[in-house]
Amino acid sequence: MGSSRFKVTITETLKRTVEVEADDQHEAEQMVSDGWHNSQYILDAEDFVGAAFEAVPVLK
């Protein structure tokens, strides 16, 4: 029996904790989300926490 072909998806996870002062949890999340969208927080290799691999067969 011959080999089969697979598509393998690699998902890398980056994670950083940011401390902010806000009136409530929603405001804190919104502040950091806005900062991330405005490139205030740029995650890089130092923020790497893991990778996952998922293979699915290539349909003929």
Side-chain angles (χ1 to χ4, degrees):
M1 186 152 151
S3 315
S4 298
R5 293 192 59 79
F6 295 87
K7 290 183 181 179
V8 180
T9 300
I10 305 166
T11 303
E12 292 186 334
T13 303
L14 305 177
K15 183 176 180 179
R16 179 183 298 178
T17 300
V18 177
E19 187 172 321
V20 295
E21 190 169 316
D23 291 333
D24 58 36
Q25 181 178 344
H26 176 74
E27 181 184 23
E29 291 173 353
Q30 189 63 55
M31 290 169 60
V32 174
S33 175
D34 291 347
W36 179 76
H37 280 95
N38 292 322
S39 300
Q40 182 178 348
Y41 309 110
I42 299 176
L43 281 66
D44 58 23
E46 292 181 12
D47 301 299
F48 178 80
V49 294
F53 303 87
E54 180 183 2
V56 295
V58 174
L59 302 177
K60 296 180 181 183

